[in-house]
Amino acid sequence: MYVLLTGIALIALLPLLWLISTSLKSPTENIFQFPPQLWPSQPTFQNYIKVWQTNPFGQYLFNSTVVAALTVSINLLFCSLAAYPLARLDFRGRDLIFAGVISTIMIPFQIVMIPLYILTVQLGLKNTYLGIIFPALASAFGIFLLRQAFQGVPKELEEAARIDGCTELGIWWHVMLPAIRPALVTLAIFVFIGSWSDFLWPLIVLDRPEYYTLPLGVATLAGTFSLDWRLIAAGSVISIAPVLLFFLLLQRYIVPTDAGSGVKG
């Protein structure tokens, strides 16, 4: 079983290894030779240096970081505020509201793209950070994920907080959010990856290069360098490295919490 899983992992990692290999090859090496050479004979970082010096990748990196950080923070806030009453409060029409939220998952983004663009322009958000994150302020998937997590929190914790005088907002902040930390981290990773790698919406809402994110910056390499795949590979590695780092930093938090440790069986 371990041999099989290792083989599947290597197959999945092969495109990434090929991308890194291409980014380290010198101009004298043929990247399309057969049989392929997975590791360059003379590795060089000149492609990374040239990409960084000839393009404002520092600005692209800053823009992507700001957009991703705001998107993750606002998404977690709005989704948790929406999911808590749908999971823990009993009010008329709750199930109908939740069904309506979930049904929006089946609507492709391309259908709402034009109305969203018109609304973004009317609000004066074109060529702004807020305009980029506008469609991702909340997500039906995030509300569904956090609602399911909230429903798994023992009722006794909520009752104990009410006895201590906590308000609903206090219960949400002091009891519920710490109890569903793995779900919050999982949602943060999904939202971060989606925001960081998003190409279509920034391409639509931005026409000023100083607001370009990394995916748009990598796309400009094709025209700037006449399809030099070594430089495009170097730009792609710069673009995906923060995603891998973000996942590695947060993966240890995706573990079950002791939400029910204070509840007697």
Side-chain angles (χ1 to χ4, degrees):
M1 180 61 68
Y2 282 113
V3 172
L4 177 61
L5 293 176
T6 302
I8 295 175
L10 290 175
I11 293 175
L13 287 174
L14 185 60
L16 179 61
L17 296 176
W18 181 260
L19 183 70
I20 296 175
S21 172
T22 303
S23 68
L24 295 174
K25 289 183 177 179
S26 63
T28 58
E29 295 186 68
N30 183 12
I31 62 176
F32 299 111
Q33 68 180 17
F34 187 84
Q37 183 180 4
L38 185 58
W39 191 252
S41 57
Q42 297 178 343
T44 177
F45 288 97
Q46 288 301 316
N47 297 322
Y48 292 92
I49 297 174
K50 186 175 181 180
V51 164
W52 196 269
Q53 290 179 344
T54 55
N55 289 268
F57 261 72
Q59 183 65 42
Y60 299 155
L61 182 62
F62 174 79
N63 294 339
S64 289
T65 302
V66 171
V67 169
L70 290 175
T71 303
V72 170
S73 302
I74 297 176
N75 202 284
L76 291 180
L77 175 63
F78 286 175
C79 288
S80 61
L81 283 173
Y84 173 68
L86 291 174
R88 311 297 296 198
L89 302 183
D90 189 13
F91 57 91
R92 182 177 299 178
R94 183 186 66 175
D95 295 338
L96 183 62
I97 294 174
F98 179 66
V101 171
I102 295 301
S103 64
T104 62
I105 296 179
M106 298 182 293
I107 303 176
F109 176 73
Q110 289 78 5
I111 292 179
V112 298
M113 183 171 58
I114 295 177
L116 272 176
Y117 175 76
I118 295 174
L119 182 59
T120 302
V121 174
Q122 291 176 345
L123 293 175
L125 299 180
K126 187 177 181 180
N127 290 312
T128 63
Y129 293 133
L130 187 56
I132 303 175
I133 69 175
F134 183 63
L137 293 179
S139 64
F141 170 76
I143 294 174
F144 169 78
L145 178 66
L146 297 187
R147 176 183 180 270
Q148 301 305 111
F150 280 133
Q151 287 183 330
V153 179
K155 189 73 174 178
E156 291 80 0
L157 292 178
E158 185 179 350
E159 293 173 349
R162 284 200 172 90
I163 293 175
D164 290 339
C166 264
T167 62
E168 289 296 340
L169 192 60
I171 295 173
W172 166 77
W173 179 257
H174 294 291
V175 178
M176 291 299 178
L177 290 186
I180 64 164
R181 185 181 65 179
L184 291 173
V185 174
T186 302
L187 180 59
I189 292 175
F190 276 102
V191 174
F192 181 86
I193 294 175
S195 173
W196 191 273
S197 60
D198 189 18
F199 176 79
L200 180 59
W201 179 250
L203 179 66
I204 294 173
V205 80
L206 298 177
D207 53 28
R208 294 171 59 181
E210 59 266 30
Y211 286 101
Y212 279 6
T213 55
L214 276 172
L216 295 182
V218 173
T220 61
L221 295 175
T224 304
F225 298 108
S226 300
L227 281 179
D228 189 331
W229 292 108
R230 299 170 182 83
L231 301 177
I232 296 175
S236 299
V237 172
I238 294 174
S239 178
I240 65 177
V243 176
L244 297 178
L245 180 62
F246 184 80
F247 176 77
L248 292 175
L249 290 176
L250 292 184
Q251 66 172 345
R252 65 190 182 95
Y253 295 105
I254 311 178
V255 292
T257 59
D258 297 329
S261 59
V263 181
K264 289 185 177 181

